[in-house]
Amino acid sequence: MSVEENTMQTLGSLVYDQEVKIVAIIDDAYNRLPSRADFQIADLQAIATELAIGEGTIGAALSALSLRVDGERDLTDDVLAALYQLRESVPEVATLFRDYVNVQEGRANQLRYLESLFRDQLGCDLLTLSPTDALDPLRLPQMIFLDYLLDPRGAEYSLPLARSIGERIREVYGKGPKPFVVLMSTMHPIPQEAKSHFRDTAGLLGGMFH
């Protein structure tokens, strides 16, 4: 993810001027479990083929979970999540998710600079949240960095997540002070039309959206 340099300078000033203490980054890099959206159909088919053979420890793992996988359609979000949580105890399962883990680590690495900036250099309390995580009413951020692509399938699938996040922000902040929301993306810069559409979909007011 990237944020324009002049925006970063402005945000640094905001942190000091507005006495920002808590900052959140909302990004799918922080998803704790995989879903079908994280895979191409061909990848799901390859995983399903390995599971359908059901030999050795993979077969035992499927039996323990009372799962049967005959094709990629059987790999629902719940099934993928259940299998993913076995990866540390079942090496063969870990192999099936190796590419997914590598991609997630790459996404997370793109955020390390931002994390270090706010946590280490500016001394902020930093929250790292997935697009579906709730905001803690007792630990509300004054500044939120929001990923433009909240779903790996693209902007079309990200907008419903943006709408949901906007609803959670309005609900949890109520009539109190609203956070500064900063849109970030690997797109440099984000086209103004796309940014405006994202803002309107999320229902974020122009004054709180950067």
Side-chain angles (χ1 to χ4, degrees), residues 36 38-50 71-73 75 96 99:
R36 287 181 63 89
D38 294 301
F39 302 88
Q40 300 292 327
I41 291 298
D43 297 327
L44 290 172
Q45 291 171 337
I47 292 174
T49 297
E50 291 295 322
E72 59 87 12
R73 292 183 180 275
L75 294 174
L96 299 178
D99 290 344

Side-chain angles (χ1 to χ4, degrees), residues 34-140:
S35 68
R36 287 181 63 89
D38 294 301
F39 302 88
Q40 300 292 327
I41 291 298
D43 297 327
L44 290 172
Q45 291 171 337
I47 292 174
T49 297
E50 291 295 322
L51 295 173
I53 295 173
E55 295 181 345
T57 54
I58 287 183
L62 290 173
S63 297
L65 294 172
S66 300
L67 295 178
R68 176 174 175 174
V69 177
D70 295 319
E72 59 87 12
R73 292 183 180 275
D74 294 322
L75 294 174
T76 63
D77 289 349
D78 289 341
V79 170
L80 287 169
L83 288 169
Y84 186 71
Q85 294 179 84
L86 294 176
R87 68 194 186 285
E88 293 185 2
S89 59
V90 184
E92 290 85 352
V93 171
T95 299
L96 299 178
F97 291 98
R98 182 174 53 204
D99 290 344
Y100 166 77
V101 170
N102 289 338
V103 169
Q104 284 298 97
E105 288 180 350
R107 290 173 177 161
N109 286 337
Q110 290 182 310
L111 295 166
R112 296 295 180 239
Y113 170 76
L114 203 58
E115 293 174 1
S116 177
L117 173 66
F118 285 102
R119 180 187 289 123
D120 304 325
Q121 298 180 42
L122 297 175
C124 296
D125 179 9
L126 181 66
L127 311 175
T128 54
L129 306 173
S130 80
T132 57
D133 283 341
L135 291 164
D136 184 351
L138 300 179
R139 196 183 175 198
L140 289 177

